[in-house]
Amino acid sequence: METRELAAKPGMHSLKRIASFTTIIAAGFVLGRVSGLAREMIVSARFGLSADLDAYFLAYVVPTVINNIVAGGSITVAVMPVFARYLAHGDRAEFWRVASIITNFLLVVTGALTLLCILFASPIIAILGSGLAAPTQTLASALLVIMMPTLFLNAALNMLLAMLNALDRFVGPALIYLALNVGIIVAVIALAPVIGVYSVAWGFLFGVALQTAIQFVALRREHPQFAWQIDLRHPALRQVALAFVPVTALSILAQINFAVDKAMAGTLATGSISALSYADTITGTFYMLGVSVGIAVFPALSRMVAMDDLANAAHAITASLRMLLFVLAPLTCLLILFAAPTIGLVLGRGKFDTNAVNLTAQALAMYAIGLMAIAVMFVLQRAFYALRDNATPFVVGAVGAAVHVALNWVLMRDFAHAGIALSTSLTAIASALVMLVLLARRLDDFSLTRLGLFLLRCGALAVPSAAFVAWLFALTGLGDETFGARAVGIAFAGLGGLIYLGLAFLLRVPESALLFKTARDLLTRFPVRR
């Protein structure tokens, strides 16, 4: 009965498309993660922890930080509601004109910044790397000159991504991380024997150029009508600027928060910073699902709001959050109960001994508590952005950052580095709850009660499933200190996930049927050849 009711809602057709888009984006993230690991293995094997690599990473900071502020993901968030308004009303000609104006303006700004940083590369590196030896600073300056054009390319890249997302084109955007890693890997393998660490810098430039080229090819299918013009009086430019400021401020705030966590962890036992970093990386593999859903649903939400179709927008947000909660509920429980086997299997080798595994596992268990909240926040932020409310996410984020720092001081006393991870989770949960309440006040068709009951239903299936397999694993008496024991532990965790999915399917939880259908459609689209 519940399946038919959910399917009858007017937003469910869009949800199927969103689920398909999410699958494509998530697959791209997986490819990016795997290729990123290969990149790190190749680069580290070639250069180790050397002064040359220090010079590369120092130079890398400059275009990356400027890009994150000027032309990063914030620009996509800022332009999407503007693009959606023209597309929702079928005005593709004006959509292309506005896209051209914003792109050209951004290229002029980033082009000027690129030239300035190239001209003043040595003074910039002297300031950032004042503690490094003179030869390392000289090398970093040369590497910065090579890598600085990536700022200009990234401006074009992010605008192409925004256009493609607005047009519901996600295959090209899903390949950006793979493209970047391939560029670096190929350059290091081919050029490192000849030009040394310069190969990494050229690889970074080649990778960003490849990213941009892929998006350009993908956009050509839409027959773009690009024009080389800048109209500073066009209202869309002002709307994007007003939206851009709070989004960028929130991004900067997140980076400051990240730095504060590392600084506070530095006052604790040796290895605390590394334990938090590794645990956050593992958790990030799972909350990337929230990023994928946020990216996939954002264009559709922006178009619905542009058409004043708030009822369908509420249904799409609810359906997206339900799918996230359904998938992440068992993962949360399993990560908490199987944190040690997970860390041990992934990282437990060489100098990463049992003590390192235990320290990192403690942090992972605490981060896992907030896994669902962190993932949900990516969707909620974009829901507010689609509603043209960029101030609310910033205010909630700013208050959350202040609370997080205070909680760090309190929880570090009893839980050491794990207290910082727990503080992150508690802050994320509180922020998500505040955002949900505020969103419910904006959208009449968004029901917190029904969403809360659904979360309880998922919890009622996830907790017993995870607890049962954890009990079975404990009965084996294998512990978690050997590779074999850790592998068995992960196998039991996988069994817990299957039990959860089986129970959900038997109880006809709608999301289980949608999940199976999406997987079946994906296998049908890409059949396995024998």
Side-chain angles (χ1 to χ4, degrees):
M1 178 64 181
E2 187 175 357
T3 304
R4 289 195 298 271
E5 289 178 354
L6 192 58
K9 290 182 177 179
M12 287 309 294
H13 176 68
S14 295
L15 177 60
K16 292 178 181 178
R17 287 169 56 83
I18 292 167
S20 177
F21 297 152
T22 301
T23 303
I24 293 171
I25 297 167
F29 276 128
V30 171
L31 288 174
R33 290 273 180 178
V34 173
S35 60
L37 178 61
R39 179 199 69 204
E40 294 300 329
M41 292 171 64
I42 291 170
V43 172
S44 62
R46 185 75 196 186
F47 301 103
L49 296 178
S50 61
D52 285 355
L53 205 58
D54 285 345
Y56 165 76
F57 283 120
L58 179 63
Y60 170 85
V61 166
V62 180
T64 302
V65 169
I66 297 176
N67 175 65
N68 288 341
I69 295 173
V70 177
S74 298
I75 194 66
T76 303
V77 171
V79 302
M80 187 62 67
V82 176
F83 285 173
R85 186 164 65 252
Y86 295 109
L87 291 173
H89 292 91
D91 194 351
R92 287 177 71 92
E94 190 63 16
F95 161 73
W96 289 118
R97 180 168 181 264
V98 169
S100 300
I101 291 171
I102 298 172
T103 301
N104 293 334
F105 178 79
L106 198 59
L107 290 177
V108 169
V109 172
T110 54
L113 288 172
T114 297
L115 290 175
L116 284 173
C117 289
I118 289 175
L119 290 173
F120 296 97
S122 295
I124 292 172
I125 293 299
I127 294 172
L128 293 178
S130 58
L132 297 176
T136 304
Q137 290 187 28
T138 301
L139 176 59
S141 299
L143 295 175
L144 177 57
V145 171
I146 295 172
M147 292 192 289
M148 204 59 224
T150 60
L151 175 62
F152 180 79
L153 288 172
N154 267 311
L157 170 65
N158 282 288
M159 285 306 301
L160 288 169
L161 290 173
M163 296 177 218
L164 286 166
N165 287 349
L167 294 165
D168 283 342
R169 295 282 187 179
F170 293 97
V171 175
L175 298 175
I176 58 171
Y177 299 107
L178 177 63
L180 177 62
N181 293 329
V182 166
I184 295 175
I185 289 171
V186 171
V188 171
I189 292 175
L191 301 177
V194 181
I195 60 175
V197 76
Y198 285 93
S199 63
V200 190
W202 282 112
F204 181 56
L205 179 59
F206 294 156
V208 176
L210 181 58
Q211 288 178 313
T212 308
I214 290 173
Q215 310 317 313
F216 180 76
V217 171
L219 191 62
R220 289 192 65 180
R221 296 183 178 181
E222 293 291 332
H223 307 290
Q225 302 168 19
F226 194 82
W228 295 103
Q229 60 173 308
I230 296 179
D231 182 1
L232 296 179
R233 296 182 179 180
H234 197 290
L237 200 60
R238 181 174 179 273
Q239 292 164 9
V240 170
L242 290 175
F244 180 77
V245 173
V247 175
T248 302
L250 180 60
S251 177
I252 295 172
L253 191 64
Q255 295 302 314
I256 294 174
N257 219 26
F258 180 77
V260 168
D261 278 1
K262 297 298 178 286
M264 297 181 78
T267 65
L268 301 172
T270 301
S272 295
I273 295 176
S274 298
L276 286 172
S277 297
Y278 283 123
D280 183 54
T281 298
I282 298 296
T283 311
T285 302
F286 299 101
Y287 69 63
M288 277 298 171
L289 180 61
V291 178
S292 302
V293 173
I295 292 173
V297 76
F298 189 33
L301 287 179
S302 298
R303 289 193 295 271
M304 291 172 187
V305 173
M307 297 295 291
D308 200 27
D309 189 3
L310 298 185
N312 265 344
H315 294 151
I317 295 168
T318 300
S320 299
L321 293 178
R322 281 173 60 110
M323 179 56 75
L324 272 180
L325 296 176
F326 176 75
V327 173
L328 294 179
L331 288 172
T332 295
C333 298
L334 292 168
L335 279 176
I336 292 172
L337 295 174
F338 289 89
T342 300
I343 295 298
L345 190 65
V346 176
L347 302 171
R349 57 187 59 84
K351 293 184 178 180
F352 206 93
D353 56 18
T354 301
N355 180 59
V357 168
N358 290 333
L359 285 174
T360 308
Q362 292 167 13
L364 176 60
M366 295 298 103
Y367 275 133
I369 291 173
L371 174 60
M372 285 187 287
I374 295 171
V376 161
M377 283 294 290
F378 285 105
V379 177
L380 292 176
Q381 286 173 352
R382 278 155 181 77
F384 277 95
Y385 295 150
L387 291 166
R388 303 169 198 166
D389 179 359
N390 296 344
T392 295
F394 172 73
V395 172
V396 173
V399 174
V403 172
H404 173 58
V405 173
L407 272 178
N408 279 356
W409 284 114
V410 174
L411 296 174
M412 282 168 54
R413 299 171 185 172
D414 295 324
F415 299 99
H417 69 292
I420 296 176
L422 179 58
S423 170
T424 300
S425 292
L426 295 178
T427 304
I429 292 170
S431 298
L433 289 174
V434 171
M435 293 276 279
L436 285 167
V437 171
L438 294 176
L439 187 62
R441 292 181 177 179
R442 294 286 300 272
L443 299 174
D444 293 335
D445 293 278
F446 182 72
S447 174
L448 276 181
T449 301
R450 285 197 290 269
L451 191 64
L453 290 174
F454 179 75
L455 175 59
L456 289 175
R457 185 178 184 184
C458 292
L461 298 177
V463 172
S465 299
F468 175 67
V469 293
W471 174 70
L472 288 179
F473 179 57
L475 289 180
T476 65
L478 294 174
D480 52 34
E481 296 187 1
T482 66
F483 179 85
R486 292 161 179 169
V488 171
I490 296 303
F492 272 100
L495 175 62
L498 291 175
I499 292 173
Y500 170 84
L501 289 175
L503 290 173
F505 192 75
L506 289 174
L507 295 173
R508 298 187 177 183
V509 178
E511 283 67 22
S512 64
L514 181 60
L515 193 64
F516 283 122
K517 185 180 184 305
T518 302
R520 186 175 66 248
D521 291 345
L522 188 65
L523 291 174
T524 302
R525 182 182 300 180
F526 303 106
V528 178
R529 299 191 180 188
R530 298 182 180 180

